[in-house]
């Protein structure tokens, strides 16, 4: 999964996740159900208290009081259809009746709340487990007093019943443990405008919690569906964006790393898409075409330059022959020498420019192969040794710092050209009887060979500029026009195309001279 795909997923999932977490955290639905249940409990308590005040009052000695037996019977009938527990206290606070005991009287059975039925399907079981863990984290924590069930209940044990006996209604929430709440309300029972008792209705929050859980599970199911849809939509969106960009990036990388012509490299065509990716594809394809044309144009330009510069040579040679027939011997010889020098200079320059132009294309099209640098240098040095037997040349030595092979990727003919250019340069500056040393050594990641002469060395300010094209600083006694100033530039071009480096330095061993260092990757 790409980084862009992950970002799209995270951004798209943030909204539904935040929404469901906020819903679970605020817990307003549960608090609203608690308040609604308390309201209905107060309404129910007032109805029962009113019925008791009208029907279960005795007026013995002209003092209204609750008729205990009648109150029990009436409370039993009124509370039979209610899920709340009703407890009735007389004016002194003593417990007269408890609906839990009244409803069980004569049956020998005491009812209790059963746990919810087992969830059958693994999907629902997993969803419930998720809900329970989330609910434990996000459920609103109410700071409530603990509810204690006493064996002998008195009105003074509860604040709401004490207030009811004083004539005021009161509701109270208590903690049952396990996340459950006991809801209770107490109202005064009045007869002839006198408080003759207190009625307390209480119910736990099991019904509320069940409803809250059902609603939250429904929300979680919807959230799971929305989450799945969001993931699929995000993956589709990521695929519509990321995959084309990835393919375009791969094509661009192939073009960047291509060693040959890039015209055959395929850029995916998304131009039929009416969006920015289609625009990017079209631009990349157009850019590749323009780049191909530019490379071809450069190649043709170099050939055309060579052709156009060589055209005057025919005329120059013709003029040379004409001037050779002049009657003035001194002028004729001088002009002939100048023309011959110019011809050689032009011919050498044109040849080197043409070779440099072809070199760019050849290096771009060819694939490097592993070659033994030591063997390549041995062949080059042997050629100069044979030439030195017939020509007056410095001594050339090849030194291997350690046994070979010295394998590096390259083009044997072109690396041979590098070595020849460096040795030719060293020969030009070596004094008579001097020695040119070619050394090969291995570094942890490179093969390094050096060409060292015993000439005058290189001015410090020119150590880098000598690699510029057409830069030429030759010995004073060398004939004009023998060098074009492209040899070292071509050498650097070849070495850099192979991922290597070349630089010049002056010797630091007490002997004057220059050293050219070529470093190629193993």
């Amino acid at each position: 999964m790409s980084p862009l795909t992950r970002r799209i997923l995270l951004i798209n999932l943030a909204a539904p996740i935040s929404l469901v977490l906020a819903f679970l955290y605020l817990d307003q639905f549960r608090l609203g159900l608690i308040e609604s249940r308390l309201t209905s409990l107060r309404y129910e308590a007032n109805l029962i208290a009113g019925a008791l005040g009208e029907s279960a009052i005795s007026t013995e000695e002209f003092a209204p009081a609750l008729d205990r037996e009648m109150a029990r019977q009436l409370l039993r009938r009124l509370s039979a259809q209610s899920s709340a527990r009703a407890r009735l206290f007389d004016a002194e606070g003593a417990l007269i009746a408890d609906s839990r005991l009244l409803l069980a009287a004569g049956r020998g059975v005491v009812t209790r709340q059963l746990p919810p039925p087992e969830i059958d399907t693994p999907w629902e079981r997993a969803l419930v487990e998720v809900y329970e863990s989330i609910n434990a984290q996000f459920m609103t924590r109410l700071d409530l007093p603990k509810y204690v069930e006493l064996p002998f209940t008195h009105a003074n044990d509860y604040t709401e019943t004490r207030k009811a006996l004083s004539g005021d209604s009161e509701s109270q929430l208590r903690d049952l443990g396990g996340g459950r709440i006991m809801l209770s309300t107490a109202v005064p029972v009045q007869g002839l405008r006198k408080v003759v008792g207190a009625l307390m209705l209480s119910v736990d929050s099991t019904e509320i919690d069940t409803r809250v859980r059902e609603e939250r599970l429904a929300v979680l199911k919807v959230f799971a569906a929305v989450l799945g849809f969001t993931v699929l939509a995000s993956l589709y969106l990521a695929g519509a964006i990321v995959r084309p960009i990835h393919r375009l990036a791969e094509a661009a990388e192939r073009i960047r790393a291509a060693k040959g012509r890039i015209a055959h490299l395929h850029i995916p065509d998304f131009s039929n898409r009416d969006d920015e990716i289609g625009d990017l594809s079209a631009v990349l394809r157009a850019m590749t075409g323009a780049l191909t044309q530019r490379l071809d144009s450069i190649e043709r330009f170099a050939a055309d330059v060579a052709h156009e510069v060589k055209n005057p040579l025919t005329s120059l040679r013709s003029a040379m022959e004409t001037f050779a027939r002049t009657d003035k011997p001194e002028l004729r010889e001088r002009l002939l020498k100048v023309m011959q020098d110019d011809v050689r200079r032009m011919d050498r320059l044109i040849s080197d420019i043409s070779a440099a132009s072809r070199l760019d294309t050849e290096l771009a099209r060819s694939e490097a192969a592993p070659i033994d640098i030591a063997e390549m240098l041995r062949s080059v040095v042997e050629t100069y040794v044979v030439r030195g037997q017939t020509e007056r040349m410095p001594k050339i030595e090849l030194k291997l710092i350690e046994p070979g092979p010295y394998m590096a990727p390259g083009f044997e003919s072109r690396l041979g050209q590098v070595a020849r250019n460096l040795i030719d340069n060293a020969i030009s500056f070596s004094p008579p009887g001097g020695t040119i040393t070619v050394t090969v050594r291995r570094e942890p990641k490179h093969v390094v060979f050096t060409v060292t002469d015993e000439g005058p060395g290189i001015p410090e300010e020119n150590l880098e500029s000598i690699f510029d094209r057409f830069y030429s600083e030759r010995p004073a006694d060398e004939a004009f026009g023998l060098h074009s100033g492209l040899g070292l530039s071509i050498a650097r071009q070849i070495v850099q195309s192979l991922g290597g480096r070349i630089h010049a330095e002056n010797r630091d061993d007490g002997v004057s001279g220059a050293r050219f260092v070529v470093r190629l990757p193993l």
Side-chain angles (χ1 to χ4, degrees), residues 450-467:
T450 62
V451 178
T452 307
D453 61 51
E454 296 178 351
I458 306 171
E460 292 294 330
E461 64 273 12
N462 294 337
L463 287 175
E464 185 62 29
S465 60
I466 59 174
F467 293 99

Side-chain angles (χ1 to χ4, degrees), residues 115-250:
E118 290 291 331
I119 305 299
D120 294 331
T121 65
W123 160 253
E124 292 183 339
R125 189 179 299 110
L127 196 61
V128 169
E129 291 176 357
V130 171
Y131 166 78
E132 296 294 347
S133 59
I134 293 177
N135 189 59
Q137 296 293 328
F138 293 97
M139 186 176 62
T140 303
R141 305 295 179 182
L142 301 176
D143 188 14
L144 302 176
K146 293 288 185 181
Y147 174 79
V148 180
E149 182 74 27
L150 300 174
F152 302 99
T153 305
H154 194 273
N156 291 331
D157 296 332
Y158 304 102
T159 56
E160 57 267 40
T161 51
R162 289 200 301 270
K163 284 198 174 184
L165 290 177
S166 64
D168 296 323
S169 300
E170 178 71 9
S171 298
Q172 186 70 38
L173 299 177
R174 291 182 178 84
D175 184 13
L176 278 175
R180 294 186 304 141
I181 298 174
M182 176 65 76
L183 295 79
S184 61
T185 186
V187 297
V189 179
Q190 297 181 349
L192 301 179
R193 297 185 179 181
K194 180 181 178 182
V195 176
V196 295
L199 175 67
M200 177 180 174
L201 296 184
S202 60
V203 64
D204 64 18
S205 63
T206 300
E207 182 180 348
I208 294 175
D209 293 338
T210 300
R211 184 175 176 186
V212 169
R213 185 176 69 173
E214 291 173 352
E215 294 295 329
R216 284 185 170 176
L217 286 176
V219 170
L220 287 178
K221 289 178 181 178
V222 174
F223 168 72
V226 172
L227 194 67
F229 174 79
T230 303
V231 170
L232 293 177
S234 300
L235 292 177
Y236 169 77
L237 179 62
I241 296 176
V242 175
R243 288 196 198 97
I245 293 178
H246 186 64
R247 290 180 60 189
L248 291 174
E250 286 181 338

Side-chain angles (χ1 to χ4, degrees), residues 312-326 331-344:
L313 289 178
T314 304
S315 175
L316 188 57
R317 289 191 180 98
S318 177
M320 180 186 64
E321 294 171 357
T322 302
F323 279 105
R325 292 193 295 268
T326 185
L331 179 59
R332 184 180 57 193
E333 290 179 5
R334 188 167 62 252
L335 290 175
L336 179 61
K337 187 176 184 304
V338 170
M339 290 180 183
Q340 289 174 343
D341 288 343
D342 286 341
V343 167
R344 285 193 296 268

